[in-house]
Amino acid sequence: MSAMKKMSLNKGLQKLVQNIGELGHYLWERGWAEKNAGNISVEVTDLIEKRGQAFDDYPKVKREISEPICGGRCFFVTASGSRMREIADRPEEKMIMMYICDELDGYRVLWGGEAGARPTTEFASHLKLHSFLFENNPSQKAIVHTHPSHLIALTHIELYCEEKAINRLLWSMHPELKMFLPEGIGLAPYRCPGTDELAEVTLTALQEHRIVLWEKHGCLATGVDVMEAFDLIDMINKAAQIFLLCRCAGYEVQGLSESQIKELKNRFGDFTQ
Ligand code: 13P
Ligand code: ZN
């Protein structure tokens, strides 16, 4: 069998591969990437000069694509079952760079996709969210899903499994959240992983947020690049961690005082009331 055609990566794409590998290590070191937990996708159409028929020679994988706006666009996506900690060492087995066919009947593998790699089980969610971002917030090219332990723990506590309550808590644990994430986080009710239902509730929560907490599962964030998405998750997980640290040490948690909260509201906007 002849070797499959493979695109050589330009500098921008090489940098992206490097960043995703680095991010994979960060997620593993944080303890957020047990086994194959988490997935990443980045829209890279602008980084590739060729279009359409130029991709006809690349191997095609048949699959129904339900997002018309994704047709003719290129994505980097992590492979289902891939360990985050292994991406940097074996990027071509752990990622796929694909061109979504205009006919929406599949994708062409431009790079990676080796050893039988197939896109993440959350691919439907990712494409749905990318479609939304193209139309509403086109600078946001990257989507990162991971399992941040402290945030997930909070969604197992009934009191905090409510959007307003969890925002208020996180905000009171870390004043800089209000500066960098004035709109707060969205909270998506539990839905089975990898389903259209999960994609739907995520899309609803993403209308007004860059970061969505999946009840009893994990977190998903968007960014202009993968590191920006990571920073958002890292920051809010820190707030959750501070809260749980105090509780684990046996203390009642004081949080910011009412007047401190008021000052933040006046300065950065009022989203919690
Ligand atoms: P994948 O390995 O299919 O990406 O699944 C990981 C995950 O976290 C699903 O929510
Ligand atoms: Zn997950």
Side-chain angles (χ1 to χ4, degrees), residues 1-272:
M1 209 172 87
S2 61
M4 285 203 290
K5 190 170 162 119
K6 178 175 145 184
M7 187 178 278
S8 58
L9 301 184
N10 60 31
K11 286 231 157 56
L13 293 167
Q14 284 173 23
K15 181 80 190 141
L16 179 68
V17 170
Q18 197 185 330
N19 282 346
I20 296 176
E22 203 175 313
L23 175 63
H25 279 302
Y26 292 171
L27 298 176
W28 167 248
E29 282 158 13
R30 291 274 187 289
W32 301 349
E34 72 285 356
K35 198 174 179 286
N36 62 308
N39 34 68
I40 300 162
S41 69
V42 185
E43 199 246 332
V44 293
T45 316
D46 291 348
L47 292 178
I48 296 173
E49 283 125 41
K50 293 181 189 148
R51 291 282 177 279
Q53 288 173 343
F55 300 128
D56 282 356
D57 293 344
Y58 290 89
K60 181 165 179 173
V61 177
K62 289 245 176 208
R63 171 179 181 138
E64 196 186 323
I65 305 287
S66 52
E67 302 301 325
I69 196 171
C70 290
R73 297 190 191 247
C74 299
F75 296 87
F76 247 93
V77 57
T78 50
S80 183
S82 53
R83 294 186 181 97
M84 287 289 148
R85 63 185 187 267
E86 292 179 348
I87 293 178
D89 285 343
R90 281 146 58 199
E92 288 170 78
E93 288 175 25
K94 307 297 169 191
M95 285 190 280
I96 304 160
M97 184 171 83
M98 62 171 69
Y99 171 78
I100 305 276
C101 300
D102 295 295
E103 301 78 21
L104 303 176
D105 60 347
Y107 60 86
R108 291 196 182 272
V109 179
L110 307 183
W111 180 92
E114 291 181 2
R118 287 285 184 265
T120 166
T121 48
E122 307 291 2
F123 191 51
S125 285
H126 282 248
L127 283 190
K128 207 178 254 297
L129 302 180
H130 279 295
S131 295
F132 171 78
L133 295 171
F134 293 143
E135 291 189 317
N136 297 284
N137 204 350
S139 69
Q140 303 283 292
K141 302 274 185 206
I143 297 176
V144 174
H145 161 56
T146 186
H147 295 178
S149 315
H150 304 87
L151 281 170
I152 297 170
L154 286 185
T155 69
H156 284 274
I157 301 170
E158 201 179 355
L159 182 63
Y160 299 117
C161 212
E162 196 271 317
E163 197 169 282
K164 212 183 245 185
I166 199 164
N167 272 301
R168 193 176 176 84
L169 173 76
L170 295 170
W171 184 40
S172 76
M173 287 295 112
H174 189 337
E176 287 174 22
L177 274 188
K178 191 66 170 147
M179 280 181 218
F180 298 112
L181 201 66
E183 73 276 24
I185 64 167
L187 181 66
Y190 181 81
R191 296 290 185 274
C192 190
T195 59
D196 286 345
E197 289 76 19
L198 179 57
E200 276 307 323
V201 294
T202 310
L203 184 62
T204 304
L206 202 77
Q207 310 280 320
E208 291 178 2
H209 302 96
R210 286 172 285 160
I211 177 159
V212 176
L213 194 51
W214 286 348
E215 182 187 337
K216 297 170 189 159
H217 176 164
C219 188
L220 180 144
T222 72
V224 295
D225 55 35
V226 292
M227 290 306 174
E228 189 180 281
F230 169 75
D231 280 341
L232 291 180
I233 304 172
D234 201 25
M235 200 167 50
I236 62 159
N237 192 73
K238 177 69 164 274
Q241 188 175 14
I242 294 167
F243 172 73
L244 293 171
L245 266 175
C246 292
R247 290 299 275 264
C248 288
Y251 295 106
E252 274 307 309
V253 183
Q254 196 181 1
L256 293 169
S257 70
E258 278 307 311
S259 66
Q260 289 163 336
I261 288 171
K262 202 164 167 216
E263 188 189 7
L264 284 168
K265 264 189 223 163
N266 291 341
R267 244 184 132 86
F268 303 108
D270 181 1
F271 73 94
T272 54

